[in-house]
Amino acid sequence: MDEREYRHDRARAEELLELATGIAEEAGQMLLAKRPARPEVLATKSSPTDVVTALDRAAEELIRSRIAEARPRDAVLGEEGGDTPGEGGVRWVVDPIDGTVNFLYGLPDWAVSIGVEVDGEIVAGVVHNVPRGELFTASKGGGAWLRGERLRCNTGVPLAKALVATGFGYAAGRRRVQAEVLAQVVPQVRDIRRGGSCAVDLCSVAAGRVDAYYERGANYWDHAAAGLIAVEAGARLGGLNGRPVSPDMALCAAPGLFEELHDLLVPLDPERD
């Protein structure tokens, strides 16, 4: 790629990021304004604990409408509304509320997550941690940012001193396996944190609030935006044994710690159910 192409791609990514940021802010403000004291469960998905609220759907409808107004030819993949085809190679990857159970219970870590692909690659991402008023952003090659400060993940942290975030699935059988794996991880690290939002956890890696993150069962819309934020902050994101991040496994940490945590997890067979 020559300098002109690079500048064009960077400008395009920044333009998409600006639009995504404005939409994420608007959706977050709507959710705060309309959230009742205790939102009601509208439906369940993979299990009785995998819930959807009316505001999940309302937020995604708002996000989709704003994208359609600004860029009517773009594709959209949303957690609630599925995949809407488009033209031109741009696709928006939307999780209207990542951390719906936290949202339901009034806990402070839930977020609006919007990533933007160009030709299958995420080039812009925003994670709006609404209760905390934090807007994490990144563009490919442009760094990761929070409140005007460039983010850098923690480096040089050995496994034994690492604060590690993780999450759990909704099905009882998967939770049982995840607890078994966790029991083997806990003695090897500083401590564990369970926040309840993949997107927020990955942004916490980017911001140095935790040193690493791993989880089985994270979907693409959970990590599309936040994964870019973590990578632009210097972290490595992937799966096990050289595979890309997927619902089988998401693992994120600075180089060095990534490999140590990876090598701890692999013999524990964390991808089984």
Side-chain angles (χ1 to χ4, degrees), residues 47 58 66 71 87 107 163 191 205 212 234 268 270:
S47 81
R66 294 296 182 263
R71 298 184 58 89
E87 303 172 9
L107 294 170
L163 185 61
D191 206 348
V205 173
L268 303 177

Side-chain angles (χ1 to χ4, degrees), residues 23-197:
I23 294 171
E25 287 184 296
E26 183 182 357
Q29 290 164 2
M30 182 275 286
L31 288 166
L32 275 184
K34 293 190 175 182
R35 183 188 179 278
R38 179 60 64 88
E40 293 184 1
V41 173
L42 180 65
T44 59
K45 294 183 281 189
S46 62
S47 81
T49 56
D50 186 4
V51 299
V52 179
T53 69
L55 285 173
D56 282 276
R57 294 183 177 174
E60 184 165 321
E61 288 170 4
L62 171 63
I63 293 166
R64 284 176 176 271
S65 70
R66 294 296 182 263
I67 294 168
E69 289 168 5
R71 298 184 58 89
R73 298 175 64 243
D74 290 355
V76 180
L77 171 63
E79 180 179 13
E80 308 306 334
D83 202 352
T84 302
E87 303 172 9
V90 176
R91 183 171 73 156
W92 298 68
V93 185
V94 175
D95 191 342
I97 306 177
D98 187 59
T100 302
V101 174
N102 286 350
F103 176 77
L104 188 69
Y105 278 80
L107 294 170
D109 283 325
W110 54 269
V112 178
S113 175
I114 304 175
V116 192
E117 293 177 348
V118 175
D119 298 329
E121 179 181 21
I122 295 288
V123 301
V126 54
V127 173
H128 185 192
N129 185 335
V130 180
R132 299 188 188 276
E134 294 184 330
L135 202 68
F136 296 87
T137 64
S139 60
K140 184 185 176 186
W145 301 83
L146 171 63
R147 299 195 185 103
E149 179 181 349
R150 187 159 187 170
L151 300 178
R152 298 288 187 186
C153 69
N154 295 334
T155 58
V157 180
L159 183 64
K161 294 185 178 181
L163 185 61
V164 180
T166 193
F168 301 96
Y170 295 107
R174 177 167 292 183
R175 288 174 181 266
R176 187 177 300 111
V177 171
Q178 289 171 321
E180 292 170 0
V181 171
L182 185 62
Q184 300 301 310
V185 172
V186 170
Q188 307 299 324
V189 301
R190 181 189 294 274
D191 206 348
I192 295 292
R193 292 292 181 268
R194 196 301 197 238
S197 164

Side-chain angles (χ1 to χ4, degrees), residues 122 124-127 136-141 143-145 150-155 198-208 210-213 222-238 245 250-255 258:
I122 295 288
V126 54
V127 173
F136 296 87
T137 64
S139 60
K140 184 185 176 186
W145 301 83
R150 187 159 187 170
L151 300 178
R152 298 288 187 186
C153 69
N154 295 334
T155 58
C198 168
V200 174
D201 283 344
L202 285 168
C203 288
S204 293
V205 173
V210 298
D211 300 303
Y213 161 78
D222 298 321
H223 61 76
L228 178 66
I229 292 166
V231 169
E232 285 292 327
R236 179 179 172 186
L237 176 67
V245 61
L251 174 59
C252 184
F258 181 100

Side-chain angles (χ1 to χ4, degrees), residues 6 149 162 167 173 224 227 258 262 265:
Y6 173 77
E149 179 181 349
F258 181 100
H262 173 276
L265 289 170

